[in-house]
Amino acid sequence: MKKILISLLLSVFPLLAQPLPKAKDVRFYPPLNTQNVEYNPIISPTGRYLVFQSNRPGGEGGMDIWISENLSFPDRMKLPVWSAPKNFRELNTTNFEGMFSILFDEEEKPYELYFTSVRDKTQKDSKKNREGYDGLNLYYTKINQRTGLWSVPVHVNEINSNFEDKMPAVSPDGCSVVFSSNRPGGLGGFDLWISKREPITKDTEKSPDKPKIKCRDGIWQKPISLGPVINTSEDEISPNFHWDGLRLYFSSNRGDKNRKFSFYYSEFNEVNQQFETPKLLGNPFNTNQPLSGESTGFPFDTPSDYSTYSLWEESDNEGISVTFDDLWFYFASNRPGGEGQFDIYRTMVPEDLRRTYDFIFRGLVLDGSEAIMIGLDSTLKIYDDTKPIQVITSKRIGGDLSIEDAENFRTTIKTGKLYRVEVSSPGFHPTELLLDLRGNVGKEKEQYSQIILQPIRPIKDNRPDKTIQGIRFVVKDKKTDLVIPNAICFYFDDLTRKGKSLTSVDGHFDLEDTPVMDFEILARAKGFKEETFLFSKEKIVEMTGKETVLYLRNSKDFDDLYNTIIYFPFNERTLSDEDKKKLDLFADFLIKHKNEKVEIGGHTDNIGNKEYNINLSEDRALSVYQYLRLKGVPKERMKVQAYHYSQPIADNETEDGRSRNRRVNFKKID
């Protein structure tokens, strides 16, 4: 069984559930849409790239394949800002190229591309000459993993005919392709046909959290019609698979007096291995009924005034894809109000179209009162929105709990929702955790969590100590809770950019002058990992007259890879090839050690104001975060923290020192 493995040390402060915000449905403006045709949008799994076909100016001629990058990436809720599309000149010719399908690998990179084109032996570039039959044909190309370039496209002899074969859709596992054709043997017009292949070479599983390509090669079998369950005497075109391979989207003009196309979808029945009767997508939003801008299916088939509306009397809807997180539909339509002919639109996937699967939540509740922890009797209440849907218990167990997957609770819940789990036991501080199972979670998944409850200890007198003038800090060992005698501390704020050394008196550090703004304390000690502690001005009042403990971890508690540092040139945010090699090693370590969680800290020199430096630090940390995500590190095990100039590792007075301070480094967290 595939699983998501997360080990949590949870504080007594509860996490607040944040509902998924309602986002507006939009059409896109230039440079994505133009007065020409923008058709068949295929969104990449992460939502970073949009590939589509267009006959806009600037291409090779005729219909071409284009690609645009989302400049708002990786924010999945922010409105995408699409870059000026680039022509896919590697594949395009002066003739027709379009109506394509892309197969993505486990790292969410393009692996195979199937597209529609025509026979042509007249191209100046011999690599672009096309073999083939009369009419439209399907062609295949594969990425070269070494060069990053597409291979010379090959005519798919096993599938094509002397009729019109177009619009391929490859299943996510690579084992099936559905396409549209008017060849004999169908029900009339264009029908949907399917071909399958068995892999020649055996594939090894790389990542359990990604859709696995089972068929990376193999010979396509003779196509067969999807039959009367899917096809009609009218036209069925533009197929595309859902990311789980168990739903097929397509367009049809069935039953439409004006022969306009609407979106349909069909579920794949895994028991009888057949597609089921199609449903009109967004029903009732494709019908002659009053519509509202608040409808979950909007803007499918909705005019500008939201009046009663019939799609097939007004426009065609052809070509649709869904993001891997199951949040967004991208589709093409020639409805009124666009930039030109066909335009690209986006809308949120309605809740009733998002998949739900059984999901196993299991783990270990531990007694945190001793250095060697044992399993603890506790109660776990699982909430869906505001109501508890399950109450389960964990059992007290002893023995060697260091063995992998030791557990004392287990239950099954459904994906597609955000859950809050309350964990409590008499004599211990209760805690909470969130299970965010919205969006793309997938089938046969589970989460393993270690939950440590801390005992309730006698409350210390928290009244201000009159002997403390201002704010007092003491530096202690995280593991032993003992004072570290050789520690040093530095104070930073927006006016003290170089830092101010604090004097140690009897093992503590006092700030006699109460700060008036946000400030930070950098704590260092030989043999320990240095740490910066952030304090907002709102906390100053409650800290005054009290002792604040700053905990440091012993360097021996860290793997050497935590000492990895990524340096950046002045004002730069992008990673070099050398940086990526370092991060590859760190990613392998995190994937192998499933209980490790890491803070990715971005840093700057002391040039520029605090606000600018924090934004720059965050951009640097996000570039590292995103690369580690692409390498397969789960997002739940990484935290991004933006620092500015308060954690220098060198003198900011020299260029060499400033260059060492412009960096991202890593911190192990609980």
Side-chain angles (χ1 to χ4, degrees):
M1 178 176 286
K2 301 178 180 179
K3 66 181 180 181
I4 305 167
L5 182 60
I6 301 175
S7 179
L8 301 173
L9 175 59
L10 296 165
S11 70
V12 298
F13 299 103
L15 297 171
L16 299 179
Q18 297 295 326
L20 202 64
K22 170 64 177 173
K24 293 182 179 179
D25 309 295
V26 298
R27 70 180 175 90
F28 297 108
Y29 297 90
L32 187 64
N33 287 324
T34 67
Q35 294 180 351
N36 295 77
V37 170
E38 280 74 42
Y39 188 80
N40 191 37
I42 300 295
I43 189 70
S44 68
T46 61
R48 183 171 185 174
Y49 297 101
L50 186 68
V51 186
F52 61 97
Q53 69 184 66
S54 177
N55 60 354
R56 61 176 62 203
E60 294 293 297
M63 192 69 72
D64 282 352
I65 301 174
W66 299 73
I67 184 170
S68 179
E69 182 177 6
N70 177 12
L71 303 179
S72 298
F73 180 83
D75 191 334
R76 65 178 183 165
M77 298 307 300
K78 191 174 182 180
L79 180 66
V81 178
W82 295 106
S83 66
K86 295 181 180 179
N87 190 272
F88 224 128
R89 299 194 189 280
E90 207 176 328
L91 301 179
N92 292 323
T93 69
T94 55
N95 281 298
F96 180 96
E97 280 80 33
M99 300 186 296
F100 56 91
S101 178
I102 304 174
L103 181 63
F104 293 91
D105 66 13
E106 290 87 346
E107 295 181 351
E108 300 176 357
K109 296 177 181 178
Y111 180 78
E112 287 183 333
L113 190 149
Y114 291 78
F115 65 99
T116 311
S117 189
V118 294
R119 179 178 60 195
D120 184 2
K121 301 294 289 183
T122 66
Q123 296 297 313
K124 295 179 181 179
D125 184 349
S126 60
K127 294 181 180 179
K128 295 187 177 183
N129 285 328
R130 304 267 195 261
E131 301 288 347
Y133 301 122
D134 294 338
L136 295 172
N137 295 292
L138 305 185
Y139 293 84
Y140 154 81
T141 179
K142 184 176 180 179
I143 202 77
N144 185 311
Q145 299 296 328
R146 183 176 59 84
T147 65
L149 300 176
W150 293 99
S151 63
V152 176
V154 176
H155 177 259
V156 189
N157 289 299
E158 303 87 359
I159 293 179
N160 290 316
S161 67
N162 280 312
F163 295 84
E164 305 287 347
D165 302 305
K166 61 181 183 179
M167 300 179 172
V170 183
S171 60
D173 63 5
C175 296
S176 302
V177 59
V178 174
F179 62 98
S180 184
S181 178
N182 63 353
R183 64 180 63 192
L187 297 181
F190 279 92
D191 285 342
L192 296 185
W193 296 69
I194 188 170
S195 175
K196 298 186 178 182
R197 63 178 174 180
E198 293 291 335
I200 296 175
T201 58
K202 232 178 186 182
D203 189 33
T204 57
E205 185 170 334
K206 292 184 178 180
S207 171
D209 297 329
K210 305 291 182 183
K212 180 174 171 55
I213 302 179
K214 296 179 181 177
C215 306
R216 294 178 179 268
D217 53 21
I219 305 300
W220 291 108
Q221 303 302 308
K222 182 180 178 180
I224 60 173
S225 169
L226 284 181
V229 173
I230 298 295
N231 295 316
T232 66
S233 59
E234 306 299 330
D235 295 317
E236 282 72 43
I237 62 171
S238 303
N240 195 17
F241 280 95
H242 185 269
W243 53 262
D244 66 2
L246 299 178
R247 179 182 292 159
L248 183 71
Y249 298 103
F250 64 94
S251 294
S252 177
N253 57 10
R254 62 185 66 186
D256 175 22
K257 62 182 179 181
N258 293 322
R259 298 184 63 80
K260 297 293 183 181
F261 285 91
S262 299
F263 291 123
Y264 290 80
Y265 69 95
S266 172
E267 305 287 4
F268 184 75
N269 188 314
E270 293 185 275
V271 176
N272 61 24
Q273 293 291 296
Q274 298 290 329
F275 284 100
E276 298 178 344
T277 302
K279 297 179 181 178
L280 195 62
L281 185 63
N283 184 48
F285 306 113
N286 282 343
T287 62
N288 240 339
Q289 296 188 18
L291 298 175
S292 164
E294 297 301 315
S295 301
T296 57
F298 172 78
F300 291 127
D301 331 316
T302 308
S304 57
D305 60 357
Y306 308 124
S307 60
T308 300
Y309 182 77
S310 176
L311 166 67
W312 44 83
E313 293 177 358
E314 299 291 340
S315 59
D316 290 296
N317 294 265
E318 306 172 23
I320 189 168
S321 65
V322 62
T323 54
F324 189 74
D325 56 16
D326 230 7
L327 285 180
W328 302 107
F329 275 129
Y330 283 78
F331 63 99
S333 176
N334 63 357
R335 64 191 57 187
E339 292 294 316
Q341 300 173 47
F342 273 90
D343 285 321
I344 296 173
Y345 294 78
R346 182 188 83 160
T347 190
M348 184 173 280
V349 176
E351 286 290 342
D352 60 356
L353 285 181
R354 292 182 184 157
R355 295 287 199 185
T356 60
Y357 306 103
D358 283 344
F359 183 92
I360 295 176
F361 173 49
R362 66 188 186 88
L364 190 60
V365 179
L366 293 166
D367 179 346
S369 62
E370 302 293 342
I372 299 177
M373 292 179 281
I374 62 173
L376 181 66
D377 288 328
S378 72
T379 300
L380 295 90
K381 295 182 180 179
I382 303 175
Y383 290 83
D384 169 11
D385 296 327
T386 58
K387 298 179 180 179
I389 62 167
Q390 280 194 47
V391 178
I392 61 174
T393 58
S394 67
K395 299 299 182 183
R396 191 173 186 86
I397 59 174
D400 183 6
L401 299 183
S402 64
I403 60 174
E404 185 177 1
D405 288 2
E407 66 178 59
N408 62 359
F409 72 88
R410 173 187 287 254
T411 190
T412 300
I413 53 181
K414 290 287 187 180
T415 64
K417 296 180 180 180
L418 177 69
Y419 296 96
R420 178 171 59 88
V421 182
E422 290 183 356
V423 188
S424 61
S425 182
F428 290 81
H429 290 287
T431 192
E432 292 185 2
L433 68 148
L434 293 183
L435 293 177
D436 190 352
L437 303 185
R438 298 169 296 184
N440 173 18
V441 177
K443 299 189 301 179
E444 299 179 345
K445 296 293 182 70
E446 65 179 45
Q447 175 168 313
Y448 176 84
S449 297
Q450 284 189 356
I451 305 168
I452 301 175
L453 296 186
Q454 298 295 341
I456 299 174
R457 303 186 187 279
I459 299 176
K460 296 180 180 180
D461 187 354
N462 202 29
R463 292 174 296 179
D465 186 342
K466 294 182 180 180
T467 65
I468 298 178
Q469 302 299 317
I471 300 174
R472 174 168 294 177
F473 299 97
V474 62
V475 183
K476 291 186 176 182
D477 186 323
K478 175 73 173 177
K479 181 178 288 187
T480 65
D481 202 37
L482 298 176
V483 173
I484 302 173
N486 62 345
I488 56 175
C489 289
F490 298 89
Y491 171 90
F492 293 85
D493 62 26
D494 206 21
L495 299 178
T496 316
R497 298 188 180 187
K498 295 181 182 179
K500 179 177 69 174
S501 176
L502 300 183
T503 303
S504 174
V505 178
D506 297 330
H508 60 256
F509 304 83
D510 288 346
L511 274 180
E512 295 182 1
D513 297 327
T514 303
V516 294
M517 63 181 70
D518 297 351
F519 69 96
E520 303 176 17
I521 301 294
L522 169 62
R524 287 176 176 160
K526 186 176 181 180
F528 290 83
K529 190 84 168 178
E530 69 176 31
E531 178 66 86
T532 293
F533 302 87
L534 313 179
F535 301 99
S536 66
K537 62 181 179 181
E538 290 79 14
K539 296 287 186 181
I540 292 174
V541 172
E542 62 186 71
M543 294 172 66
T544 302
K546 301 175 187 175
E547 182 178 273
T548 298
V549 179
L550 310 176
Y551 285 106
L552 296 183
R553 287 179 175 273
N554 196 296
S555 299
K556 296 178 182 178
D557 295 339
F558 293 84
D559 188 275
D560 287 342
L561 284 169
Y562 276 98
N563 296 322
T564 301
I565 299 178
I566 306 298
Y567 294 103
F568 291 83
F570 179 72
N571 207 32
E572 282 294 324
R573 302 160 171 79
T574 56
L575 298 173
S576 67
D577 291 340
E578 192 62 33
D579 296 334
K580 292 177 181 178
K581 291 179 182 178
K582 294 181 183 179
L583 293 175
D584 288 344
L585 295 174
F586 196 42
D588 291 342
F589 169 79
L590 291 173
I591 292 171
K592 182 178 179 181
H593 297 81
K594 300 183 184 302
N595 291 337
E596 297 285 323
K597 296 182 70 177
V598 61
E599 176 192 282
I600 304 169
H603 303 269
T604 66
D605 55 31
N606 65 354
I607 297 176
N609 61 42
K610 179 179 179 180
E611 181 180 4
Y612 177 82
N613 278 318
I614 287 179
N615 289 333
L616 180 59
S617 294
E618 184 175 38
D619 288 346
R620 288 170 174 168
L622 282 172
S623 67
V624 172
Y625 166 87
Q626 192 56 45
Y627 185 79
L628 293 176
R629 284 284 293 120
L630 292 174
K631 299 302 290 185
V633 181
K635 62 182 179 181
E636 297 85 358
R637 292 172 51 204
M638 295 185 289
K639 170 189 173 184
V640 170
Q641 179 66 56
Y643 298 95
H644 42 109
Y645 34 72
S646 61
Q647 205 176 62
I649 57 175
D651 190 351
N652 270 312
E653 295 303 301
T654 67
E655 175 52 35
D656 179 64
R658 287 192 293 270
S659 67
R660 294 179 61 198
N661 291 330
R662 298 189 291 262
R663 71 195 191 281
V664 165
N665 55 14
F666 303 94
K667 182 179 75 173
K668 181 177 180 179
I669 57 177
D670 293 326

